[in-house]
């Protein structure tokens, strides 16, 4: 669907140089946003105060601001990359972990732990959520393999239906156990609870994302089907398993630490594709950078719209993401 | 998972059986209702209901606050919602009290089959007023968040009139008033308070005029921050906000324990460096409010007494 995307006609070497320059510029913008993010908050933290070593400001900076900014960047990058991997594996631009049942399964996992062991430590929650996410995603991929056609719209529809069924089961049990409100807290991503000591597990997803980035080409090949993959000398099942585990773990860890971040895995890879075409080598770093930037902007907005109160980042993202996506699609059609 | 499901199916079957049993019972008890003397007219949140019987035999209520008041007055309703009952009302979980839906959703068939003489609803079930009125006289005793205490007294007096317990109600309310006055006197100098609710690892703050505003509005604990008044939903805040507001008294309602039967222990959500540096933490004034009392039951005759006493202890 994106084969008509903008293509640079410049010679390869010049194009590549320009692309690197662009990427460096984009990374600089993200760093600037990160800097802004570190100075937005309820407490008084200013650069002069920090440099002067004001203990109160330094404390807040290290306890609250730096962890939050890091959490936003880590979650933003990894969820966007997870979306990209999912799209490569399903060979469809309309799927992402929150539309194929991965996030819903992870949430069901958290619910099961919460009901069974209310005092479960976060690592156990994450573990169970990950197992559920793997099962849910595997189920989607298994259904996908049995679909008679690879219709562009059928695949996301199947994913949405599967996600809907899992979400319905989750909602039913949440309702039964009076956990509906708690459930909605998990389903709406929110960084307001992030502090030093409460986000570090997100570094796990950074490592996973790196593996995913390095193996991105393989997922493209695996997306072409088992025979094709085997012909190219790649172990199909192993590649699919790797992708499955990476996407599921990223989703599960992010949902347990900050909640679901909607749209990200769908919007960012699509924007990258609209802007730079379907060259995967090019898309992968851009996806990570855009993902981080997108969530940073939304979180800064969420913290300032109703200052000193917060609007959960998940809500801001749903609105901003939808608008951004519409604008891009409409502009492309006019061009 | 499978086991859970099958147990639910079992419960469903049992529920169906119960339903058919109560249906027979309903027709048997229909006669005394018609014999009741002409009723009184009760003004309530959704208008006035003319034919409210005095001392009705079979009362259904969806509101745990009303249930708490009836319990305090020695009146036993016949139908109550399916809910996780707090300790003070735990006897109503028993199957001998007909289960007539959830806290928010009436089971119209069960209500209809039960043929009650009076149905009492409140904010959570206010939307079902029309439907329920068709089944039996229905009154909506919602608490007005703008002036909860007056509203509560008003509703309680109405219940007193309906059940011929005016004297008991007046005595009880006078007792509550006395505790409020005593608390108010001490609260003025006890420092500034902030009310927060924790749920799923996140924190929302509530101010004067909110559903927990009783603490500021009625009991006179000064506010540490001017959190926008809003009936039932708080404002999402960060821990930085709590540190910045630096309350002397931090009132905490842990929603995650409101539902389970687990005893509320230390709240892991608030156990962090920022909250620990507030005056409230330093002076050991982080007050865990009983979530069932504040979040689920709300304004009931015994419960208000318990809520007022909890705040009174915190400023003592």
């Amino acid at each position: 669907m994106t084969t008509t995307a903008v293509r640079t006609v410049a010679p390869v070497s010049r194009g590549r140089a320009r692309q690197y320059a662009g990427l460096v510029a984009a990374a600089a913008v993200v760093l600037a946003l990160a800097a802004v993010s570190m100075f937005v908050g309820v407490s008084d933290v200013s650069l002069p105060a920090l440099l002067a070593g004001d203990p109160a400001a330094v404390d807040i900076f290290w306890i609250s601001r730096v962890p939050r900014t890091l959490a936003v960047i880590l979650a933003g990058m990894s969820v966007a990359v997870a979306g990209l991997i999912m799209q490569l594996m399903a060979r469809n631009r309309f799927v992402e972990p929150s539309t194929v049942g991965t996030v819903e399964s992870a949430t069901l996992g958290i619910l099961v732990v919460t009901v069974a062991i209310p005092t479960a430590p976060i690592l156990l929650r994450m573990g169970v959520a990950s197992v559920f996410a793997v099962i849910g995603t595997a189920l989607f991929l298994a259904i996908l393999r049995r679909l008679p056609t690879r219709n562009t719209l059928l695949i996301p529809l199947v994913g949405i239906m599967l996600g809907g069924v899992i979400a319905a089961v989750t909602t039913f049990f949440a309702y039964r156990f009076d956990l509906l409100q708690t459930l909605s807290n998990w389903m709406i991503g929110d960084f307001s609870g992030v502090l030093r000591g409460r986000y570090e597990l997100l570094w796990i997803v950074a490592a996973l994302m790196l593996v995913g980035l390095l193996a991105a080409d393989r997922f493209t090949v695996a997306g072409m089907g088992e025979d094709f993959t085997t012909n190219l000398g790649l172990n199909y099942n192993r590649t699919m398993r790797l992708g499955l585990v990476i996407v599921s773990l990223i989703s599960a860890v992010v949902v347990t630490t900050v909640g679901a971040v909607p749209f990200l895995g769908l919007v960012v890879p699509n924007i990258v594709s609209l802007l730079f075409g379907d060259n995967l080598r090019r898309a992968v770093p851009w996806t990570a950078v855009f993902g981080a930037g997108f969530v940073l902007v939304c979180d800064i907005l969420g913290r300032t719209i109703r200052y000193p109160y917060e609007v959960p980042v998940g809500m801001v993202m749903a609105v901003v993401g939808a608008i951004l996506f519409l604008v891009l699609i409409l502009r492309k059609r006019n061009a | 998972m499978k086991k859970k499901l099958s147990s639910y199916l079992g419960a469903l079957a049992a529920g169906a059986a119960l339903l058919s049993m109560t249906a027979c019972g309903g027709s048997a008890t229909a006669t005394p209702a018609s014999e009741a003397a002409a009723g009184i007219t009760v003004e309530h949140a959704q208008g006035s209901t003319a034919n409210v019987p005095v001392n009705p035999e079979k009362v259904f209520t969806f509101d745990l606050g009303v249930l708490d008041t009836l319990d305090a007055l020695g009146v036993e309703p016949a139908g109550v919602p399916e809910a996780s009952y707090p300790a003070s009302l735990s006897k109503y979980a028993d199957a001998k009290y007909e289960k007539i839906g959830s806290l928010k959703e009436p089971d119209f068939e069960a209500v209809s089959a039960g043929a009650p003489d009076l149905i009492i609803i409140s904010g959570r079930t206010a939307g079902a007023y029309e439907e329920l009125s068709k089944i039996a006289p229905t009154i909506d005793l919602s608490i007005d968040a703008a002036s909860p205490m007056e509203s509560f007294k008003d509703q309680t007096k109405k219940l007193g009139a309906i059940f011929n317990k005016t004297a008991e109600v007046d005595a009880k309310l006078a007792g509550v008033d006395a505790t409020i006055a005593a608390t108010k006197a001490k609260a003025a100098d006890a420092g500034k308070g902030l009310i927060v609710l924790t749920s799923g690892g996140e924190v929302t703050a509530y101010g004067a005029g909110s559903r927990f505003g009783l603490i500021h509005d009625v009991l006179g604990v000064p506010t540490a921050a001017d959190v926008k008044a809003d009936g039932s939903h708080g404002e999402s805040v960060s821990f930085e906000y709590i540190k910045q507001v630096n309350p002397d008294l931090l009132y905490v309602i842990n929603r995650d324990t409101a539902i389970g039967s687990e005893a509320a222990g230390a709240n892991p959500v608030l156990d962090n460096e920022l909250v620990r540096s507030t005056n409230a933490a330093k002076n050991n004034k982080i007050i865990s409010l009983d979530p069932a009392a504040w979040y689920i039951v709300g304004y009931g005759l015994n419960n208000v007494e318990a809520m007022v006493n909890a705040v009174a202890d915190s400023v003592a």
Side-chain angles (χ1 to χ4, degrees):
Chain A
M1 51 153 277
T2 49
T3 42
T4 52
V6 191
R7 288 230 170 90
T8 43
V9 275
V12 180
S13 58
R14 244 180 79 195
R16 188 167 283 176
R18 198 186 283 172
Q19 198 218 331
Y20 283 136
L23 203 58
V24 169
V29 171
V30 169
L31 282 179
L33 282 170
V36 171
S37 163
M38 284 194 254
F39 292 99
V40 173
V42 179
S43 301
D44 233 359
V45 178
S46 64
L47 195 55
L50 273 185
L51 294 177
D54 172 10
V58 171
D59 262 7
I60 291 286
F61 190 73
W62 289 112
I63 294 172
S64 166
R65 300 293 169 79
V66 173
R68 182 167 187 157
T69 306
L70 282 174
V72 169
I73 293 174
L74 290 175
M77 287 175 113
S78 57
V79 172
V81 169
L84 181 69
I85 294 176
M86 197 72 231
Q87 290 172 10
L88 295 175
M89 287 200 300
R91 217 176 357 135
N92 188 297
R93 282 259 167 237
F94 291 121
V95 299
E96 67 137 335
S98 68
T99 60
V100 302
T102 310
V103 170
E104 287 83 355
S105 309
T107 313
L108 179 60
I110 305 177
L111 183 75
V112 167
V113 190
T114 307
V115 170
I117 318 166
T119 53
I122 191 150
L123 267 177
L124 181 62
R125 278 167 194 256
M126 253 176 216
V128 176
S130 302
V131 170
F132 272 74
V134 168
I135 296 172
T137 320
L139 194 62
F140 170 70
L141 291 174
I143 296 172
L144 206 61
R145 284 180 76 177
R146 280 163 184 77
L147 279 183
T149 56
R150 285 216 151 224
N151 184 306
T152 319
L153 289 176
L154 189 64
I155 293 170
L157 270 181
V158 167
I160 290 168
M161 279 192 282
L162 179 65
V165 170
I166 299 168
V169 172
T170 311
T171 311
F172 173 77
F173 283 103
Y175 180 76
R176 280 274 136 180
F177 291 103
D178 265 323
L179 282 167
L180 273 183
Q181 228 134 346
T182 313
L183 181 70
S184 74
N185 279 351
W186 296 330
M187 289 310 289
I188 300 172
D190 189 348
F191 290 97
S192 66
V194 171
L195 287 178
R196 182 164 72 194
R198 290 192 179 178
Y199 82 101
E200 282 77 357
L201 289 162
L202 282 176
W203 288 106
I204 300 173
V205 303
L208 286 166
M209 181 189 66
L210 218 60
V211 177
L213 287 176
L214 294 173
D217 281 341
R218 289 166 183 242
F219 301 129
T220 317
V221 176
M224 307 281 184
E226 185 160 5
D227 296 339
F228 187 84
T229 313
T230 314
N231 275 340
L232 287 182
L234 195 64
N235 186 326
Y236 175 80
N237 284 325
R238 196 186 291 161
T239 311
M240 287 302 262
R241 269 203 303 271
L242 178 68
L244 173 81
V245 167
I246 290 177
V247 170
S248 304
L249 285 184
I250 288 178
S251 305
V253 173
V254 171
V255 171
T256 22
T257 40
V258 296
V261 269
F263 261 116
L264 186 59
L266 186 70
V267 170
V268 172
N270 274 292
I271 289 176
V272 170
S273 155
L274 282 170
L275 293 178
F276 306 107
D278 275 341
N279 183 333
L280 181 70
R281 281 278 159 80
R282 214 183 266 187
V284 163
W286 277 106
T287 304
V289 171
F290 268 24
F294 184 33
V295 185
L296 272 172
V297 169
C298 290
D299 188 51
I300 292 171
L301 272 178
R303 273 184 277 175
T304 43
I305 294 172
R306 298 205 60 205
Y307 185 89
Y309 315 116
E310 301 216 358
V311 177
V313 73
M315 281 186 205
V316 182
M317 285 181 70
V319 175
V320 176
I323 294 172
L324 210 62
F325 198 42
L326 273 178
V327 167
L328 271 162
I329 289 177
L330 294 177
R331 271 190 55 188
K332 200 187 142 217
R333 194 171 273 178
N334 291 340
Chain B
M1 200 72 221
K2 217 164 206 170
K3 207 170 164 196
K4 274 264 156 63
L5 197 68
S6 67
S7 78
Y8 271 115
L9 287 177
L12 218 66
L18 200 76
L19 208 74
S20 53
M21 270 160 63
T22 52
C24 305
S27 52
T29 49
T31 355
S34 54
E35 282 169 7
I40 54 169
T41 300
V42 176
E43 304 284 332
H44 56 86
Q46 300 197 41
S48 68
T49 299
N51 46 352
V52 174
V54 177
N55 248 335
E57 200 143 310
K58 196 166 189 190
V59 182
F60 282 6
T61 182
F62 290 94
D63 185 272
L64 296 196
V66 169
L67 178 63
D68 183 68
T69 299
L70 295 182
D71 192 62
L73 296 175
V75 175
E76 284 218 334
V80 294
E82 189 83 56
S84 39
Y85 284 93
S88 59
L89 297 171
S90 57
K91 72 170 189 176
Y92 292 96
D94 195 285
K96 76 171 184 173
Y97 301 95
E98 273 176 49
K99 296 299 177 286
I100 52 175
S102 74
L103 280 174
K104 289 180 180 169
E105 283 171 304
D107 176 349
F108 293 107
E109 286 183 30
V111 175
S112 183
D117 302 317
L118 174 66
I119 303 171
I120 307 173
I121 58 170
S122 66
R124 283 183 177 118
T125 40
Y129 177 71
E130 297 289 334
E131 276 309 301
L132 290 171
S133 294
K134 289 177 195 158
I135 300 172
T138 302
I139 54 175
D140 177 357
L141 296 188
S142 297
I143 297 292
D144 179 4
S147 51
M149 213 56 205
E150 288 70 37
S151 175
F152 159 67
K153 283 183 193 167
D154 203 41
Q155 317 290 39
T156 312
K157 282 177 184 157
K158 275 173 201 159
L159 289 172
I162 296 169
F163 292 97
N164 268 334
K165 302 266 183 186
T166 314
E168 284 99 321
V169 166
D170 287 346
K172 276 261 193 188
L173 286 179
V176 172
D177 272 340
T179 322
I180 290 175
T183 310
K184 229 174 173 169
K186 282 182 279 181
D189 322 306
K192 294 178 171 179
L194 178 70
I195 311 163
V196 296
L197 179 125
T198 60
S199 176
E202 278 141 34
V203 184
T204 38
Y206 290 77
S210 70
R211 70 188 294 177
F212 308 123
L214 165 81
I215 294 173
H216 301 304
D217 306 332
V218 177
L219 298 170
V221 174
T223 53
D226 188 19
V227 182
K228 289 200 179 91
D230 179 18
S232 59
H233 297 282
E235 295 282 359
S236 187
V237 296
S238 59
F239 297 113
E240 268 186 40
Y241 179 85
I242 299 178
K243 181 183 163 59
Q244 188 69 20
V245 164
N246 195 12
D248 304 303
L249 300 151
L250 184 60
Y251 295 95
V252 184
I253 297 149
N254 186 351
R255 188 177 192 282
D256 294 342
T257 54
I259 43 194
S261 45
E262 311 273 311
N267 191 332
V269 178
L270 293 177
D271 184 23
N272 63 58
E273 295 171 87
L274 294 185
V275 173
R276 259 181 255 135
S277 67
T278 58
N279 284 343
K282 284 180 197 151
N283 304 330
N284 219 359
K285 284 286 184 188
I286 296 182
I287 301 112
S288 269
L289 298 174
D290 177 7
W294 290 79
Y295 195 87
I296 297 176
V297 179
Y299 290 89
L301 206 38
N302 281 334
N303 198 52
V304 164
E305 209 171 355
M307 291 196 289
V308 170
N309 284 335
V311 179
D313 288 345
S314 75
V315 295

